[in-house]
Amino acid sequence: MIGQYDYRLVALSVVVAVLASYTSLDLAGRVAAVRRRAHVWLAGGAFAMGTGIWSMHFVAMLAFKLPIAMGYNFFITTASWLMAVFASAIALHLVSQPSLAARRIFFGAICMAAGICGMHYTGMYAMRMQPGIVYDPILVGASLVIAFGASAAALFIAFRLRNAASLRGVVRKIGAAAVMGVAIAGMHYTGMAAARFPLGSVCGAATDLDPAWLATLIGVSTLLLLGTTLIASILDQRLENQTAQLVNSLSKANAELLHMSLHDPLTNLANRALLHDRIGQSLDRWRHNRSHFAVIYVDLDGFKAINDNLGHRVGDELLKSAARVMSETVRHSDTIARMGGDEFVVVVNDLDGPDAVSRVCSKLLEAITSVAEGGIQLSASIGSAVYPDDGEDASQLITAADLAMYAAKMAGKNGHQSYQPSMNVPASEEFAIQTELRAAIRNNELIVYYQPKYSAGERRLLGAEALVRWQHPERGLIPPDRFIYVAERCGLIVDLECWVLESVCAQIRAWLDAGMDVPPVSVNLSAVRIRDKDLPEHVQACLDRHGLPARYLVFEITESLAMDDVFQAIRTLARFNEMGVHFALDDFGTGYSSLSYLKQLPLQQLKIDRTFIADLEHGEESHAEIVRSIIGLAHALGLRVVAEGVETEAQMTYLNRFRCDEVQGYLLSRPVPANDFAALIAGPSRAMPVPPLAKAELGELGFRRGLTA
Ligand code: C2E
Ligand code: CA
Ligand code: CA
């Protein structure tokens, strides 16, 4: 009995085979690339690919017509489909392995060929022909060889092309899919050619279903299934690529941020944070093998005069030169840090004898005096301290070296002194400030200024930062940078901050009583205070005294102090959160920034340090990228972002583009006395009406007039 083919269906079967092959190649890449949903992709992929191969076969069967009624047993047909899915699962699993040895290809191809041939001949059996089909052994053998060859080639090609995502890769995949599809179809039609149907055969599974209709239904639904699978795969790939890109750019920004947070931008030397870390490492080394180390303080002589007379550019160049020659003088394992201005600290490790330190100091001095640019000859005063004789930890050693440096200055500059215990008397000026400040707190000589914070877009007033000043009876208004440092060193900071908090709470109460709509006020907290376990109770008591809800207060803490003892900080902050007091991380980017800590701290705001904002306009392109990354990251962590020190409209434009939430800076308003801030609260639209003031006319008192006018 001779059969005939419906060539339209034959064509459909080949199309299905090629698309099934293309989908398989694509899925092979997916299963190999994904880490999390790999088993889902494997199962779904095997389902789609197996169904594709099977339906190619089934459509081809339906294309074949005998001059008798024909049909297929449902259960046997289902079994043949399962075999195709199973063979596909093996194939996908194999090509997703990290490597594919020849032996693997060989056994994999045997399994796949067995699956495909099993599918084919089981599918034929589903016709239940009576008498049975007679097979030509040579052609059956040929179909087995073709199935094996096609499978081996498919495995090899799929493995090679699985990561090809470029356009060229796609073209190569299409070519490979065409070859594979034709090979699979070839196997099928060879198998069909092997079948002889004896005259007078009847089909035991004959039904009335129109085979052409059934074939079209199966062919089209399979094409839909394969198409959907492909689209899902492509979309998933896109998503994964985007995620990978984001992770990549974040980690780059993070690395850059880390470098910037540990180095001085001008000289690229270590900064304070890194210096402390390195001294910590030297201490560890001493514990291990008693290797002595020294901390050396270097201060350039007469540098302020150079800066004032010749300008910052010349000054900066000299600083860079000094940094370079010092770096060339010490060993690679030693550390040089810039402490700001014209002060440097060198950590010299593995000292090999009592006069090793003075040798290094002489060499440093010689190197610095070798810098002669534009007719200027540098010199320096140097002080040194040695561990463990002169101090127990980083701060003590640095202070000791600093005192020795001061002694060298007093002794006529351009020289070196090593630390002596007798040097350790408080510098007279510092002592005077201490005594006077103590009295100032008692006599209410301190006042709080308020610097408004605005929304970045509409510039609506959203809050204020309370900044303390000292109204000195003779010396006028003294900015906090001149006395906070001293207050921190002598412990007066506790009294000072209690005074500020009390004053801010009283002020808010007064404004509320006057019927004003008061926004939250931020208050700075120093390191000493945040370590105080009773702080939350003190703050609650203060709020209660003035009958204030906690939402009127925000505390600003600096990154370095929050990171100092992370677990203690987390506990304290958590208690404040329960009370309803919010926290902002101040000066972000300048300390030991660690993004992982940031995730753990229960904060609500992040304040980007003003140096980053200043760099937005004149720094390199990458600085803007960093600010953008910080903002994106903070938002991802659910934090509001405040930009500090905004001085120009250009900076505002950047910040708006980067979706920064709040801004604070001279462009919008300087810190102002309480009455002036009250006028801003009560002001008509609360929008920002103040034109920027020229820097030259600032003088802390001079700007009042401009704001109240
Ligand atoms: P901070 O917390 O970073 O405060 C912001 C400082 O930046 C303020 O200086 C403010 O006047 C200044 N600033 C604001 N906008 C701009 C701008 O556009 N450009 C520039 N160049 N600067 C701007 P201020 O008031 O002199 O305070 C200096 C530091 O003193 C504060 O830095 C803070 O660390 C500390 N401080 C002030 N009050 C307190 C306090 O009550 N407690 C503690 N612990 N520290 C305080
Ligand atoms: Ca602050
Ligand atoms: Ca700040």
Side-chain angles (χ1 to χ4, degrees):
M1 203 162 54
I2 304 295
Q4 271 188 336
Y5 281 105
D6 176 336
Y7 286 101
R8 285 166 310 174
L9 293 184
V10 169
L12 179 61
S13 77
V14 175
V15 171
V16 171
V18 172
L19 189 64
S21 302
Y22 186 83
T23 311
S24 313
L25 287 174
D26 196 72
L27 289 172
R30 213 74 282 281
V31 176
V34 295
R35 266 145 282 140
R36 281 169 297 128
R37 300 174 304 268
H39 53 286
V40 177
W41 278 110
L42 183 73
F47 173 75
M49 175 178 164
T51 305
I53 294 175
W54 172 81
S55 83
M56 170 269 138
H57 149 87
F58 198 68
V59 170
M61 294 283 283
L62 291 170
F64 180 72
K65 273 191 246 146
L66 285 172
I68 52 170
M70 289 177 67
Y72 299 89
N73 177 287
F74 177 75
F75 293 104
I76 304 179
T77 304
T78 307
S80 77
W81 171 73
L82 282 177
M83 288 183 187
V85 173
F86 182 66
S88 304
I90 293 180
L92 280 182
H93 172 70
L94 279 176
V95 296
S96 66
Q97 299 304 307
S99 68
L100 192 60
R103 224 170 34 138
R104 271 242 172 103
I105 295 191
F106 181 76
F107 287 112
I110 287 191
C111 290
M112 272 179 77
I116 293 174
C117 290
M119 167 200 76
H120 177 81
Y121 291 104
T122 311
M124 299 281 282
Y125 182 64
M127 288 196 277
R128 311 303 308 269
M129 296 303 287
Q130 307 280 329
I133 305 171
V134 179
Y135 285 102
D136 174 342
I138 296 181
L139 285 177
V140 169
S143 78
L144 290 179
V145 171
I146 294 178
F148 174 79
S151 301
L155 284 177
F156 180 73
I157 296 172
F159 185 76
R160 290 291 301 274
L161 292 186
R162 61 183 192 175
N163 296 328
S166 61
L167 185 64
R168 223 174 112 219
V170 172
V171 171
R172 281 164 66 188
K173 268 193 209 169
I174 292 176
V179 174
M180 276 166 65
V182 170
I184 294 174
M187 179 266 145
H188 175 88
Y189 291 105
T190 312
M192 290 301 283
R196 303 263 179 283
F197 299 89
L199 259 180
S201 294
V202 254
C203 174
T207 59
D208 297 337
L209 280 180
D210 174 9
W213 183 83
L214 192 61
T216 312
L217 180 71
I218 290 188
V220 170
S221 16
T222 307
L223 290 181
L224 278 179
L225 169 70
L226 293 172
T228 317
T229 312
L230 257 182
I231 290 172
S233 164
I234 290 167
L235 289 183
D236 190 66
Q237 172 107 46
R238 284 239 176 108
L239 194 70
E240 191 130 315
N241 286 351
Q242 275 169 2
T243 315
Q245 248 170 22
L246 195 69
V247 167
N248 190 12
S249 70
L250 260 183
S251 67
K252 243 198 232 154
N254 197 356
E256 209 153 326
L257 200 63
L258 192 69
H259 183 89
M260 286 179 66
S261 70
L262 295 177
H263 292 85
D264 164 51
L266 179 68
T267 59
N268 209 26
L269 294 176
N271 66 10
R272 273 171 202 269
L274 188 56
L275 173 71
H276 278 258
D277 188 69
R278 293 284 166 81
I279 296 181
Q281 289 176 16
S282 299
L283 286 167
D284 284 344
R285 245 197 314 233
W286 191 82
R287 276 178 221 119
H288 265 100
N289 54 16
R290 303 282 126 158
S291 92
H292 289 261
F293 66 94
V295 173
I296 297 174
Y297 213 111
V298 179
D299 187 297
L300 303 183
D301 294 329
F303 190 76
K304 191 171 175 303
I306 296 177
N307 241 349
D308 289 351
N309 294 325
L310 301 173
H312 285 273
R313 190 162 301 174
V314 178
D316 284 356
E317 284 313 311
L318 284 169
L319 285 174
K320 280 198 242 177
S321 303
R324 199 190 57 245
V325 296
M326 282 197 283
S327 302
E328 287 162 0
T329 308
V330 299
R331 279 171 296 185
H332 214 67
S333 53
D334 299 336
T335 300
I336 306 187
R338 177 161 174 236
M339 305 296 278
D342 57 345
E343 299 179 15
F344 303 86
V345 166
V346 187
V347 183
V348 186
N349 290 306
D350 304 319
L351 297 174
D352 54 0
D355 51 350
V357 184
S358 51
R359 269 206 315 272
V360 176
C361 291
S362 305
K363 272 203 257 170
L364 284 170
L365 208 54
E366 206 176 297
I368 290 169
T369 45
S370 77
V371 174
E373 276 171 17
I376 300 159
Q377 163 120 46
L378 282 183
S379 74
S381 302
I382 299 183
S384 63
V386 179
Y387 185 81
D389 305 347
D390 302 338
E392 283 174 14
D393 57 23
S395 314
Q396 287 188 5
L397 287 166
I398 295 172
T399 308
D402 187 7
L403 288 168
M405 181 279 291
Y406 192 71
K409 277 242 174 311
M410 293 296 115
K413 304 182 178 171
N414 195 16
H416 156 236
Q417 295 269 328
S418 51
Y419 172 79
Q420 308 296 326
S422 61
M423 295 170 177
N424 199 5
V425 282
S428 54
E429 199 206 359
E430 186 171 330
F431 191 70
I433 294 180
Q434 264 182 44
T435 333
E436 280 192 68
L437 187 58
R438 203 179 303 274
I441 297 173
R442 260 201 323 270
N443 303 338
N444 272 334
E445 281 175 20
L446 298 182
I447 41 172
V448 176
Y449 271 40
Y450 295 83
Q451 185 175 34
K453 299 197 293 174
Y454 292 90
S455 66
E458 297 173 291
R459 307 194 184 181
R460 297 175 60 77
L461 184 65
L462 292 182
E465 177 174 2
L467 295 157
V468 69
R469 274 108 184 78
W470 180 359
Q471 180 69 68
H472 194 280
E474 286 134 37
R475 279 183 273 166
L477 203 61
I478 306 178
D481 284 338
R482 299 259 290 279
F483 58 89
I484 290 281
Y485 169 74
V486 179
E488 278 180 347
R489 297 228 312 199
C490 68
L492 262 181
I493 190 74
V494 177
D495 294 342
L496 184 144
E497 284 183 355
C498 282
W499 184 91
V500 171
L501 184 65
E502 196 69 38
S503 159
V504 167
C505 287
Q507 184 63 70
I508 297 177
R509 182 73 262 162
W511 283 332
L512 287 175
D513 288 346
M516 286 193 253
D517 180 12
V518 187
V521 176
S522 305
V523 174
N524 291 284
L525 266 190
S526 67
V528 194
R529 287 291 274 162
I530 200 82
R531 288 200 207 99
D532 179 357
K533 293 200 181 50
D534 300 329
L535 183 65
E537 278 69 47
H538 286 313
V539 172
Q540 188 62 59
C542 189
L543 287 170
D544 292 346
R545 252 196 310 283
H546 298 279
L548 283 185
R551 70 187 145 86
Y552 285 108
L553 271 192
V554 177
F555 282 120
E556 295 190 2
I557 53 173
T558 61
E559 203 177 353
S560 47
L561 83 88
M563 303 314 165
D564 220 24
D565 181 355
V566 183
F567 296 106
Q568 176 58 37
I570 292 174
R571 276 194 296 273
T572 310
L573 261 58
R575 277 171 66 198
F576 274 113
N577 278 330
E578 278 164 24
M579 286 163 52
V581 175
H582 282 185
F583 269 79
L585 193 60
D586 207 353
D587 304 345
F588 182 79
T590 56
Y592 246 135
S593 48
S594 161
L595 300 176
S596 60
Y597 286 160
L598 192 58
K599 252 192 333 215
Q600 296 176 34
L601 287 172
L603 299 161
Q604 285 74 36
Q605 289 182 15
L606 184 142
K607 297 187 82 173
I608 304 181
D609 190 69
R610 52 179 177 271
T611 52
F612 287 90
I613 306 306
D615 279 347
L616 269 182
E617 239 178 310
H618 304 297
E620 293 159 26
E621 194 74 350
S622 67
H623 291 158
E625 266 320 299
I626 287 176
V627 171
R628 185 207 291 276
S629 300
I630 295 177
I631 294 176
L633 182 85
H635 282 163
L637 294 172
L639 301 175
R640 277 183 80 74
V641 182
V642 185
E644 290 188 321
V646 179
E647 292 184 348
T648 66
E649 285 293 348
Q651 291 163 356
M652 277 295 272
T653 310
Y654 271 106
L655 292 165
N656 253 321
R657 197 183 323 138
F658 297 165
R659 307 217 168 283
C660 181
D661 302 297
E662 296 181 27
V663 288
Q664 173 183 354
Y666 293 170
L667 172 68
L668 301 159
S669 167
R670 296 181 163 274
V672 294
N675 283 342
D676 295 354
F677 184 66
L680 286 178
I681 302 180
S685 71
R686 276 191 169 202
M688 205 293 298
V690 190
L693 283 169
K695 249 189 166 174
E697 57 172 301
L698 45 124
E700 289 271 355
L701 284 168
F703 55 81
R704 274 192 190 198
R705 179 178 25 91
L707 278 161
T708 39

